Amino acid sequence: MTKKTEEEIEISLGSGNVFEDLEFENPKEAKAKADLSREIHQIIKKRKINQTEAAKIMGIDQPKVSDIVRGKLSKYTL
């Protein structure tokens, strides 16, 4: 027979901005970048275009589109 023990888990209500909750340096900017990245990714999917086509539309090169949709945003500004 196995004896079960209860473990207390502390739960905190989030602020609505995970970057703020994780104490990022500029949480509002980080959230805005993430939101914009997600929106760009959704538009690419909705239009059924590839990253090369998206890059032409956006006036940037394809590796930058890849960075944006993969959330690699540290080298980009709003």
Side-chain angles (χ1 to χ4, degrees):
M1 183 174 230
T2 305
K3 186 176 181 180
K4 294 183 180 180
T5 59
E6 288 190 32
E7 182 180 322
E8 286 192 31
I9 299 173
E10 185 178 329
I11 299 173
S12 302
L13 184 60
S15 68
N17 181 343
V18 67
F19 300 103
E20 186 175 325
D21 297 340
L22 294 173
E23 299 179 359
F24 274 53
E25 191 172 317
N26 295 308
K28 289 180 182 179
E29 179 181 1
K31 183 174 184 324
K33 285 182 178 183
D35 290 345
L36 182 57
S37 170
R38 185 174 45 256
E39 186 68 25
I40 290 168
H41 188 214
Q42 291 301 318
I43 291 168
I44 290 169
K45 285 174 54 177
K46 182 179 177 183
R47 290 187 180 189
K48 297 179 182 171
I49 60 176
N50 61 37
Q51 290 182 3
T52 302
E53 293 168 315
K56 287 178 186 175
I57 292 167
M58 296 168 66
I60 60 176
D61 59 16
Q62 181 276 326
K64 289 179 182 170
V65 174
S66 178
D67 284 347
I68 292 167
V69 299
R70 294 174 62 213
K72 293 185 168 189
L73 307 171
S74 63
K75 58 186 166 186
Y76 300 102
T77 61
L78 294 173

